Amino acid sequence: MLTFIIQAGGKWSGRIAKGKSITLTASSDRANLSTLLFDAWQPAERYNMPDTLKAQHTAFLTKGNILMSDQGKVLASIIRDSVGWHDPLGGYSTRQATDGKYGLTSYQKQRNDWYRSGEENLIVELYRNQLLPRDLMPPVNFFSKVVCELDGSMHYVEQPAAGRSVTLRTETDILLVCSNTPNPLDPGSDYPVSSILIEVTDAEAVKEDDVCVTHCPENRRAFENTWNVHTLLRGANL
C-alpha cells in the first residue's frame, strides 16, 4: 500500500495502474480535491464530463458512477463513498478569484502559506507530465456538493466531509492530476484547511454483479468497450 497526504493548497499527479483502489479521505469539512483523469499512456484520451453525466442521467457523482473517457471507456469507477455527493460541474478556482475572495498573497511574502488556486496547481502538474494548459478540462471536485436549480443556476451546499472518504477503482492505467484547493462556488471567506489522505492498494477483481457495472445499461457498454480494448492488447503470455 502507498499512502500520502496532500495538504491544503497542495497538488499531486501520478500514473496509477489498472486494478488499483484509490481511497481519498478528508481531514475536515469544506474539503475539495479538483481532479483530472487521463489515459496514462495516451493522454489525448481523457475524462469527459458531458458524456459521464449524460450517460448516467445525473448531475453529481457517487457510489456506482463511473468516470468515462471521451472514447466511451471507463477510466475509473466509484466503488465506495461515505460522502454521498461529488461535484463535476463547478470547475476549478483561478488566481483572480482566489485573490478576490481570500486576500492577495504571494510566495515572496507568505512563502508556503500563500493561497494557491486550482488552475495554477493543475497547470503545474500538467507540465510535469508533458501536457499543456490547453489540456485543462472540467475536473471532478471530490467532497464538494454543488446543486443545479431549475433556472440553471448553481450553488454550493456545505456537507459533512471530515473523516469521510471516497474510493475509486482504476479500470485502465490512468494519469491522475489533483489540486487540494477551494471549490470556486464555496462562499466561505476563509481559505479551507482540509488535508486529503490518499491510499492506493490493489483492488478486488470486477464481478458480474458489480455496482458500477450494473448501475445502468450505459455503464455496462462502457465497461465492455474497456474490456475489449484490454483483450486486444493482452499478449499470449499474460
Side-chain angles (χ1 to χ4, degrees):
M1 174 171 29
L2 173 67
T3 65
F4 57 94
I5 293 174
I6 306 179
Q7 299 293 345
K11 59 191 182 297
W12 181 84
S13 63
R15 288 179 172 83
I16 303 176
K18 170 184 177 292
K20 295 293 185 179
S21 171
I22 308 168
T23 299
L24 315 172
T25 304
S27 68
S28 58
D29 295 341
R30 293 180 60 215
N32 185 79
L33 190 69
S34 296
T35 305
L36 309 178
L37 298 93
F38 300 82
D39 182 287
W41 312 115
Q42 300 184 75
E45 182 174 0
R46 72 272 314 266
Y47 164 68
N48 184 283
M49 179 266 284
D51 286 353
T52 293
L53 302 186
K54 177 180 65 177
Q56 298 175 95
H57 316 287
T58 186
F60 68 97
L61 299 169
T62 187
K63 179 181 176 180
N65 289 137
I66 60 174
L67 306 180
M68 291 180 62
S69 78
D70 50 10
Q71 301 297 316
K73 301 201 292 289
V74 189
L75 295 173
S77 50
I78 303 177
I79 58 173
R80 288 186 293 276
D81 183 19
S82 63
V83 184
W85 189 301
H86 304 275
D87 161 43
L89 299 172
Y92 43 74
S93 58
T94 64
R95 177 79 269 148
Q96 182 179 12
T98 300
D99 289 345
K101 184 180 292 187
Y102 306 112
L104 185 63
T105 61
S106 68
Y107 176 77
Q108 288 74 16
K109 291 184 178 180
Q110 283 78 24
R111 294 300 182 183
N112 288 332
D113 292 330
W114 73 293
Y115 297 150
R116 284 81 156 181
S117 75
E119 181 178 37
E120 292 167 311
N121 275 358
L122 293 172
I123 286 174
V124 168
E125 294 303 318
L126 289 174
Y127 274 124
R128 286 176 173 169
N129 292 279
Q130 295 76 54
L131 297 170
L132 299 171
R134 69 184 183 188
D135 294 299
L136 282 170
M137 55 188 160
V140 178
N141 287 314
F142 289 108
F143 302 104
S144 286
K145 182 176 183 177
V146 170
V147 173
C148 299
E149 303 294 351
L150 293 177
D151 63 2
S153 62
M154 300 189 299
H155 68 271
Y156 179 91
V157 177
E158 192 163 344
Q159 63 179 349
R164 300 199 179 190
S165 64
V166 55
T167 299
L168 309 179
R169 182 183 59 215
T170 55
E171 309 299 349
T172 193
D173 296 351
I174 65 168
L175 168 63
L176 195 69
V177 180
C178 303
S179 175
N180 184 9
T181 40
N183 188 292
L185 297 178
D186 182 346
S189 59
D190 56 317
Y191 196 89
V193 298
S194 179
S195 61
I196 306 294
L197 171 66
I198 298 184
E199 301 170 280
V200 182
T201 61
D202 291 334
E204 294 183 1
V206 180
K207 299 179 180 178
E208 186 66 25
D209 61 349
D210 184 86
V211 64
C212 298
V213 176
T214 61
H215 181 75
C216 63
E218 290 83 356
N219 280 26
R220 174 169 286 279
R221 284 198 291 272
F223 271 99
E224 290 172 350
N225 291 340
T226 309
W227 296 335
N228 287 343
V229 168
H230 292 159
T231 298
L232 291 171
L233 293 176
R234 187 180 299 125
N237 295 323
L238 297 178

